[in-house]
Amino acid sequence: MSIPSTAGFAIQGVDGKARVSTWTTKNGVMATPASLLHTRRGFPMQMSQDLIRTLHKGGEELSIGVQMNVMHCLTQPTPAIMIKQGGGAHGYYNMGGHPILASNRDPSTYEYHVKPSTDASVHVMVHGGGVQVTPELYMSAVQAMRPDIYVTMCDELPVPGVSNKRRAAAAARNLKWLDCCLDLANSLDVGRDSLALAPVGGGADAGERNKAATAVADKPVAGFALCGFGTGEDPSSRAELICAAVEPLPNEKPRFMSGVSSPVEVLDAVAEGVDLFDNSYVMALTEGGYAACFQCKRPEGGVAMDFKTEGDAAKMNLLSLDYRYD
């Protein structure tokens, strides 16, 4: 099966909808499907630089991808500070040799909807307080970061409890802001260094997600970002929502997904054709005193909790008294 390479993305093999691929960027080659190294304000949580260098790459020619949030580069540091430092996010955060994907949210928190969005801007709550973000401000941060890949500005919707009118307004804004971000990328000379991903929203409505994907399928972008997941949706409906969003998209372009967490959720999304993930699961485990111990095969009957040790088939509680002599 011959599938053409697009913007450095080359599919090596398929199994149903799942794909095995490589994505060549200016700072390295990532093998997909893969989860990106999660960061907060540009820094990996509970991980020093010497530990990052020991991560298994699957070969010296492959790189570990890093997720950073564009919204965290609006204040402290500002785009002007990062530009003055030089070297973009790779130089500022000492991430040379790692492809950086600049997303529009932090997968471990939800910055949106403290205040309503407008047609001109989206409000986010970040470490520096509330910020009203316009496409111009957003792309000034992307220009300063100079990431390998970035998601254009998106009116993120939580999946549950959103009206059809609100979903329609968000879809119209996302299309408008996508075109605006791409125009700004050209004028700011961002497009030469960084690849754009178009956001695909739609909330908890499979039909709206399909419409949103159809609207951006032919846009001049390197790939697509499935947005708004991990915000309270019914896990049993997630496969249907992903399928509806992926179906209209061109097969030769990569798909990035924000908001999924556990290994089982990631594998379910891979089975629907998603290639790349931002993932705060390991950070959440570490903060809770857990260690990952999941099996490669899905456990029969689902993942059952062991109430004695407060663990399950995917994780173990290192603070449990059962392990006090280990």
Side-chain angles (χ1 to χ4, degrees), residues 1 10 120 139 188 195 217 222 243 258 272-273 275 286 304 320-321:
M1 183 178 182
M139 289 304 296
L188 297 172
L195 303 172
C243 180
S258 178
E272 294 297 330
D275 304 295
T286 305
S320 171
L321 292 178

Side-chain angles (χ1 to χ4, degrees), residues 20-44:
V20 175
S21 316
T22 56
W23 196 352
T24 303
T25 72
K26 63 180 181 179
N27 282 286
V29 181
M30 295 182 289
T32 69
S35 287
L36 301 166
L37 180 63
H38 170 62
T39 67
R40 179 75 57 79
R41 295 178 65 184
F43 295 100

